[in-house]
Amino acid sequence: MKKIRIGSGAGYAGDRIEPAVELAQKGQLDYLVFECLAERTIAIGQKQKKQNASKGYNELLEARMRAVLPSCYKNEVRIITNMGAANPIAAGHVVMSVARELGLESFKVAVVTGDDVLLELQRLDLKLIEAGVALSQSGKDILSANAYMGIEGLVEALESGANMVIAGRVADPSLFLAPMVHEFGWSRDDWRKLGKGTCIGHLLECAGQITGGYYADPGVKDVMNLARLGFPLAEVDESGDAVITKVEGSGGVVCEATCKEQLLYEIHRPDQYFTPDVVADFSNVTFQQEAENRVAVKGASGLPRTDTLKVSVGYNDGFIGEGEISYAGPNAVARGQLALDIVKERFTICGFEPVEARYDLVGLNALHGVTRSAQNEPYEVRARVAVRCSTLEDAIFVGNEVETLYTNGPAGGGGVAKSAKAVLAMDSCLISRDQVHASIIILGGDKE
Amino acid sequence: MKLRDIAHSRTGDKGNTSNISLIVYDMKNYDLIKEAVTAERVKVWFGDIVSGEVVRYELPAIGALNFVMYEALGGGVTRSLALDIHGKSLSSALLDLVV
């Protein structure tokens, strides 16, 4: 039975680079996928592109490619990524210039575009799901709208023979499903196989999260060598069954428990995982440890895909101002609480009315609230004030007020940090499939 | 005993919705968590952290439950004022539950 090996070279935009190099060198891969585009990352990219038309792609693209391209080229590993973010064409040119510099003859990049649907969204005046009203009624300052595309453009790009495929907003599992469909010739309505492939993609898309990252709990779930965590690869056969593993000698662990945690990561209904390609069913998936760091995956399925695509909509949503200060030793909690009370009162005195605010004691109640805070008093706490503001000036004011606690607040306050940032929030909507068209642009490929 | 003694957990986020898996180490404890850790109990356990409803899905094939908690992330990762904007630490609170 035909098999392919697909590696996962990144779980998010800023992920470690060496594990991808290790996969490219020692993974005996056919494909190396880099999933680097969280929901908000693309909106940040759109903002960067507005400021500079040649930017808006993943900031680590050049460094990553410089590191992995020589091994990928030598070992004939094809790369698939959404690192194009808001500007896949510019990203394609960056990769081509790195390839030229490295002397990779006839290197060819296929760029997939078509996910930017801001104009269509405005023309159709679609309903924003979280806001619950149409775009024009929402009063929101919309910055970007990118549809989650499926495998269509990616498969077409792979058919071009390109060494590397660069897209923007495509669904994460589609990056992994595309090479399976391309290699095995799966029918586009073989929902069971598409469901199985989507499951494999979902398991791989967060890279280290299935090889022992985001898992360790000392004494309970010990993981060796997390500083040298190996990223995962899947050996996939043409029936859609797979084994998840990693490069021998790398850190981390692949076991049934890591696979189970990742299967349910960011999943709601397990029998209805919506992607542009299929409605995947993970409810009967099973894992079987067949050797050390080798786990077989079986049992996923799928139902026909829906007629709509999800669109990520980015909008400007005011500002957040923050300030923090620490207290330690006897009575630290009381002094931290006094610090928060002072800041609250200062806001009133200054006539400042926060739109929304949080007053936390980090080390005591910042993560799970007051009701679940520790019985035992911690040795140190960090008082933290975070406020939603309508202007940047107000956001700066929040941090400054916390800073004044140095000389005006409780005894022994130290280590002030403050920040003021613009908020780029996300909503979503559904767009009809016929409004979204993938197109492919080929760069390079000639003998130069 | 605490859930931590028999199960492990991972949190994920989508918008303002948090999902927490609860997975038994030993399949023989699946019925126990299915019985003891209801959606209602999880909703009460998280108190004012979760404004919306909690829905539970069962995965007997891997010995797991999946809790989907709506309106749990202060508006979601992009606009939350919280220190833990993703709510990634919430799984640890679930494992502290006594069964």
Side-chain angles (χ1 to χ4, degrees), chain B residues 9-24:
Chain B
S9 177
R10 176 171 291 190
T11 314
D13 71 292
K14 283 249 187 275
N16 200 13
T17 306
S18 173
N19 87 286
I20 307 187
S21 60
L22 183 66
I23 307 160
V24 292

Side-chain angles (χ1 to χ4, degrees), chain A residues 40 209 213-214 220-221 260-262 264-269 285 317 368 372 384 388 423-424 426, chain B residues 4 8 10-11 13 19 21 25 45-46 49 57 62 66 78-79 81-84 88-89 93:
Chain A
R40 180 174 63 154
Q209 281 197 182
Y214 195 39
V220 185
K221 297 191 290 176
K260 288 176 182 179
E261 283 195 17
Q262 192 53 26
L264 292 177
Y265 181 71
E266 294 184 343
I267 291 288
H268 292 177
R269 264 188 82 146
V285 169
D317 188 29
H368 298 159
R372 215 174 314 284
R384 172 178 182 269
R388 192 176 311 289
V423 177
L424 188 46
M426 303 301 295
Chain B
R4 183 171 190 269
H8 55 110
R10 176 171 291 190
T11 314
D13 71 292
N19 87 286
S21 60
Y25 290 109
W45 181 245
F46 279 97
I49 294 175
Y57 297 101
I62 56 167
N66 188 35
T78 55
R79 59 192 308 274
L81 294 180
L83 183 64
D84 177 9
K88 284 182 185 280
S89 68

Side-chain angles (χ1 to χ4, degrees), chain A residues 170-181:
Chain A
V170 293
D172 301 349
S174 306
L175 295 167
F176 298 86
L177 180 60
M180 300 177 210
V181 170

Side-chain angles (χ1 to χ4, degrees), chain A residues 5-161:
Chain A
R5 287 166 71 92
I6 307 174
S8 177
Y12 77 102
D15 213 344
R16 291 181 189 163
I17 292 179
E18 318 97 84
V21 176
E22 181 178 63
L23 275 174
Q25 288 173 344
K26 302 178 189 166
Q28 293 167 289
L29 299 181
D30 301 293
Y31 294 89
L32 180 55
V33 175
F34 293 87
E35 194 292 292
C36 294
L37 204 51
E39 222 176 334
R40 180 174 63 154
T41 317
I42 190 140
I44 295 169
Q46 294 285 13
K47 206 168 176 176
Q48 289 166 342
K49 188 181 169 185
K50 264 187 191 168
Q51 282 154 5
N52 180 344
S54 67
K55 295 287 182 191
Y57 53 83
N58 181 277
E59 286 174 351
L60 286 179
L61 175 70
E62 201 175 329
R64 271 207 183 93
M65 290 308 111
R66 219 175 274 286
V68 301
L69 279 190
S71 303
C72 286
Y73 185 77
K74 176 169 154 253
N75 299 329
E76 295 179 16
V77 181
R78 301 174 77 184
I79 300 169
I80 305 170
T81 185
N82 54 15
M83 273 191 280
N87 203 347
I89 296 173
H93 287 293
V94 168
V95 174
M96 279 309 300
S97 73
V98 173
R100 268 186 219 110
E101 214 178 287
L102 294 169
L104 310 181
E105 216 170 272
S106 311
F107 196 86
K108 185 166 158 182
V109 173
V111 179
V112 181
T113 62
D115 60 309
D116 189 336
V117 292
L118 185 54
L119 293 176
E120 287 78 2
L121 206 68
Q122 283 160 341
R123 181 169 52 79
L124 298 166
D125 197 22
L126 294 172
K127 183 180 165 183
L128 293 169
I129 291 169
E130 286 198 22
V133 292
L135 201 65
S136 62
Q137 303 299 308
S138 70
K140 292 192 192 306
D141 178 15
I142 307 285
L143 200 72
S144 67
N146 293 80
Y148 281 84
M149 299 197 298
I151 57 172
E152 288 86 358
L154 299 172
V155 172
E156 190 187 334
L158 287 170
E159 282 162 1
S160 76

Side-chain angles (χ1 to χ4, degrees), chain A residues 188-196 198 269-283 300-307 433:
Chain A
R188 301 299 170 88
D189 59 2
D190 189 338
W191 308 116
R192 187 157 165 271
K193 287 206 180 90
L194 296 178
K196 291 174 95 170
T198 296
R269 264 188 82 146
D271 61 342
Q272 284 188 2
Y273 184 62
F274 290 86
T275 81
D277 308 308
V278 62
V279 179
D281 179 355
F282 299 164
S283 60
S301 185
L303 290 168
R305 65 184 201 181
T306 59
D307 295 331
R433 277 180 188 278

Side-chain angles (χ1 to χ4, degrees), chain A residues 390-427:
Chain A
S390 45
T391 67
L392 182 61
E393 288 70 28
D394 282 353
I396 291 169
F397 166 77
V398 170
N400 288 347
E401 271 302 322
V402 172
E403 190 181 52
T404 67
L405 293 169
Y406 266 143
T407 55
N408 300 273
V416 167
K418 52 182 186 173
S419 72
K421 63 179 183 199
V423 177
L424 188 46
M426 303 301 295
D427 205 321

